[in-house]
Amino acid sequence: METVTYSQVQELVKRLPEQNLPVAYRLLVELTDWEAHPLGPQAAFLRLSLPKRRRILTEQAEQMKAHYEQSVDERLEWQAGDFADEHSAR
């Protein structure tokens, strides 16, 4: 692939109709963001140091623990009941 210069890109942008500028801008933003995170947030997470990943996962686990503790009665209500009773009677 041939080398493209900034001036060549600028010339193309200057030739764009004004109504197409938002589309061109979004494309350029996506391309520059792709360079920083080519595989998305999962890849960015894996690039973190192991201690930092462990800290993040520990924080998320604590948040989920708190969430499930708050909804324990409701969860027990919908988890128990007819389904288990119907199938154990057969």
Side-chain angles (χ1 to χ4, degrees):
M1 183 173 176
E2 76 177 80
T3 302
V4 178
T5 64
Y6 286 109
S7 60
Q8 288 173 309
V9 173
Q10 288 172 336
E11 282 302 314
L12 283 175
V13 170
K14 287 179 187 176
R15 292 179 16 206
L16 282 173
E18 196 169 322
Q19 68 267 17
N20 291 350
L21 289 176
V23 174
Y25 180 78
R26 284 192 302 273
L27 175 63
L28 289 170
V29 167
E30 286 181 29
L31 289 172
T32 56
D33 192 36
W34 179 85
E35 289 285 329
H37 305 287
L39 300 177
Q42 295 86 358
F45 177 77
L46 291 175
R47 287 188 202 115
L48 299 173
S49 67
L50 185 57
K52 197 166 195 169
R53 286 185 285 176
R54 283 184 176 153
R55 180 184 55 76
I56 291 170
L57 290 172
T58 299
E59 289 172 5
Q60 290 176 342
E62 289 297 325
Q63 290 171 355
M64 292 310 298
K65 179 183 173 196
H67 169 75
Y68 283 115
E69 286 173 345
Q70 289 175 356
S71 62
V72 68
D73 293 334
E74 179 184 339
R75 190 175 65 259
L76 289 174
E77 184 178 316
W78 64 260
Q79 284 180 331
D82 297 335
F83 180 80
D85 295 339
E86 283 180 27
H87 294 288
S88 61
R90 289 182 184 182

